[in-house]
Structures are given as structure tokens and as C-alpha cells.
Amino acid sequence: MRVVLQKVSRASVTVTDETTGEIDPTFPEQRIGVGYMLLVGVSDADGERQVAWLAHKIANLRVFDDEDGRMNRSIHDVGGAILSISQFTLYGNVRRGNRPSFVAAGAPAHAEEVWLGFNDALRAQGLDVKTGRFGAHMNVSLTNDGPVTILFDTEELGI
């Protein structure tokens, strides 16, 4: 799995109706204040082990400032929330040519199952998790606080 974590002061997502191009009225805008906006990519090799490791690591990551201005507080410590967005393009390969190849991205059914399981694992860590819609065209807005952006790649980490 690949996760891009951005510490945010606010973030939101809307879904675009594929027929009209307007905001989809069946999907209410999802918003968070302080917390993390996560872009989540899944490969076919990903499963419960990667989900459990990432959920634990993200829930306990200390990147929020303490009273001395040091990154020493977790999302729990600041009462933050998570906005989780599925993003297969994190597996885009641009080594050759000018058009990315996405063959390393997980098959949609598998990727959706793993992403949903990841969101549930974050909730099991006691976190408030809001999400986009899997496979939809989404408009994501955020204010990166810091800026703080961290990349997790379970394959690179040997997880």
C-alpha cells in the first residue's frame, strides 16, 4: 500500500456526478478540521498485514506540535479526524513514455475491499474517519498544515 499523509487544518471532498459534471447530490460533502488527509493506493499484494501496520502507525504518528513547538503529539492528542481518499494513481509508473502506466495498481474490487478495511482499521484505533467514494471523480480541498507530508510505502518498508 502507498499512503500519502498530509497534516491538515481542514480538508473536504465532494463527488462529481458523472452524467452532469455537477456536484453529486447523493454524496454529501465530507469535511474535517484538524487531522490527516490520506491518499490511499492499493496493489494486488496488499491485505490485512499492510492494513493493520498502517492503521497502527498512522494512529500513533506524532507530527502535531506540543507546547514547545516540537512534533510530539498524535492525532489522538489533538482530537483530530481523518479524510481518506482512494487514489490508484499513486501506483502510476512514469519510467517510460509520457503517459503513466497503472498496471501495478490493485484490481478495483480488491482495492476497494482493502481501502474499506483500512478505513475500518483506523476507526478501530478510535479515530473519526470520513471518506471519499471509491472509483468516483472527486474534488479534494485541503490546507496542509506545516506543511507536513509523509509517504508510506509498505513494499519499500518490507511490510
Side-chain angles (χ1 to χ4, degrees):
M1 288 177 70
R2 292 181 181 162
V3 175
V4 175
L5 175 150
Q6 293 183 291
K7 183 176 85 166
V8 299
S9 55
R10 64 178 178 79
S12 65
V13 64
T14 58
V15 172
T16 303
D17 183 285
E18 302 205 11
T19 305
T20 66
E22 301 294 322
I23 300 298
D24 184 342
T26 67
F27 185 89
E29 180 179 29
Q30 301 295 298
R31 295 176 182 233
I32 65 166
V34 170
Y36 299 142
M37 202 281 302
L38 305 178
L39 301 175
V40 182
V42 177
S43 78
D44 284 329
D46 295 323
E48 291 181 21
R49 181 174 179 211
Q50 291 77 15
V51 163
W53 188 89
L54 281 166
H56 177 77
K57 182 62 88 172
I58 289 168
N60 293 287
L61 189 69
R62 297 185 316 180
V63 295
F64 292 94
D65 290 348
D66 64 15
E67 54 280 348
D68 296 323
R70 300 177 77 189
M71 287 185 174
N72 202 26
R73 299 176 78 199
S74 74
I75 192 168
H76 293 292
D77 297 329
V78 299
I82 289 179
L83 179 60
S84 176
I85 307 294
S86 173
Q87 188 166 353
F88 76 94
T89 59
L90 290 177
Y91 278 94
N93 182 333
V94 294
R95 287 184 183 99
R96 301 175 83 174
N98 294 316
R99 189 172 138 213
S101 168
F102 299 106
V103 298
H110 173 74
E112 182 176 20
E113 180 182 336
V114 171
W115 176 65
L116 291 171
F118 173 63
N119 296 332
D120 288 342
L122 289 167
R123 289 181 185 107
Q125 293 281 332
L127 296 168
D128 177 20
V129 179
K130 299 191 189 254
T131 68
R133 179 187 287 162
F134 185 88
H137 184 275
M138 294 173 273
N139 298 307
V140 179
S141 176
L142 66 111
T143 301
N144 189 320
D145 182 21
V148 174
T149 302
I150 298 173
L151 173 64
F152 298 89
D153 185 334
T154 58
E155 182 179 350
E156 183 179 290
L157 293 167
I159 306 299

